[in-house]
Amino acid sequence: MGVIQRFADIMSANINAMLDKAEDPAKMIDQYLRNLQDDLAKVKEETATVMAEEKRCERELKECNAEIAKLQTYAEKAVMAGNDNDARQFLTKKTAMVEKQAGLQQAYEAAAANSSKMKQMYDKLCSDISTLNARKDAIKAKIAVAKTQEKINKIGSSIQGAAENLSAFDRMEAKANQMLDKANAMAELNGAAGTESSVDDLMNKYDAQPSVAVEDELAALKARMGK
């Protein structure tokens, strides 16, 4: 029976494997549950149809059994009344009904087996859906925690990058301080060298001996000026 195999496949489906393939498990789990609810509705409808078939076969079999029993009763009454010809007709009809009974019994047993399978599948699917609904919130909570952890991991990477930038900033500041200290030292050294050169020049000024002619002319100038 095709429908039984179809829903047997549904029963054996691995929900966790389907979730593993999902891009967004939080959304897909709701979709899978909706799909299962649709499947449940189909299973329920098919189960009702198969159960109805079982009831029909059972009713026909009971009617046949009742007819056989009735024909047997009438055949016995005809014999008791001495009407063998009537008894033969009742027994002939009974024989035909007995042959029909065998087919009806076989049909009923098959319908009962199919009905039992469908009811088992329907009950199992109801149980599976109930279990999945109970697990749904827990699964979604895990997904939410995982997404939060992913965000924290990304923030951690950003913080690491910021720390590296801060460290680089500190290195640049240290390098700038080093350059400034070096420049100040050079200026200090240049200033000291300039002072030493000025003193040397001044000393050379006084160390220099004026010429005799200039000294004589200076003395004569002073005498004329009364100095």
Side-chain angles (χ1 to χ4, degrees):
M1 189 173 187
V3 67
I4 292 179
Q5 183 59 47
R6 157 69 179 139
F7 292 112
D9 293 339
I10 294 174
M11 295 299 98
S12 62
N14 188 333
I15 301 300
N16 291 327
M18 290 190 290
L19 289 176
D20 289 340
K21 299 177 182 179
E23 294 181 1
D24 189 342
K27 293 180 180 179
M28 293 305 298
I29 191 171
D30 287 333
Q31 183 60 51
Y32 285 131
L33 282 171
R34 285 193 293 271
N35 292 346
L36 286 173
Q37 289 290 354
D38 291 341
D39 289 332
L40 179 62
K42 295 174 183 176
V43 172
K44 185 176 182 179
E45 182 178 353
E46 291 295 336
T47 300
T49 300
V50 173
M51 290 176 66
E53 178 66 13
E54 177 192 10
K55 292 297 183 183
R56 185 189 67 79
C57 291
E58 183 182 21
R59 183 175 61 255
E60 288 186 355
L61 179 60
K62 287 181 178 180
E63 290 175 353
C64 182
N65 291 337
E67 183 68 15
I68 289 173
K70 184 173 70 172
L71 290 170
Q72 178 66 29
T73 299
Y74 277 101
E76 292 174 358
K77 287 182 178 181
V79 170
M80 291 178 64
N83 297 321
D84 291 350
N85 190 46
D86 292 344
R88 288 190 185 90
Q89 294 184 43
F90 288 132
L91 291 175
T92 300
K93 181 68 179 293
K94 175 188 172 184
T95 301
M97 293 299 295
V98 169
E99 292 178 358
K100 181 180 179 181
Q101 180 191 44
L104 292 175
Q105 181 67 38
Q106 185 177 6
Y108 169 70
E109 290 175 356
N114 288 336
S115 178
S116 177
K117 290 179 183 177
M118 290 300 296
K119 284 187 289 187
Q120 289 176 7
M121 286 188 288
Y122 176 75
D123 291 342
K124 185 178 186 305
L125 186 53
C126 286
S127 176
D128 288 345
I129 291 175
S130 177
T131 300
L132 289 176
N133 274 317
R135 292 171 56 196
K136 178 180 68 175
D137 292 338
I139 293 174
K140 286 190 173 183
K142 291 179 182 179
I143 293 170
V145 171
K147 288 184 176 180
T148 300
Q149 185 61 52
E150 289 176 357
K151 291 180 180 178
I152 292 174
N153 293 341
K154 290 180 180 179
I155 293 174
S157 299
S158 299
I159 291 175
Q160 179 62 32
E164 293 176 357
N165 289 331
L166 288 173
S167 177
F169 187 89
D170 291 340
R171 290 196 301 272
M172 293 302 100
E173 184 177 18
K175 187 173 182 179
N177 290 336
Q178 183 181 8
M179 292 172 64
L180 179 59
D181 291 341
K182 183 176 180 180
N184 288 336
M186 289 295 296
E188 184 178 348
L189 291 174
N190 289 337
T195 301
E196 183 178 354
S197 175
S198 298
V199 172
D200 290 342
D201 292 342
L202 187 59
M203 291 174 67
N204 290 333
K205 173 183 176 182
Y206 286 97
D207 287 340
Q209 295 295 327
S211 64
V212 176
V214 171
E215 289 297 323
D216 289 344
E217 186 176 352
L218 178 58
L221 178 60
K222 287 182 176 181
R224 287 197 297 273
M225 294 177 63
K227 298 293 187 179

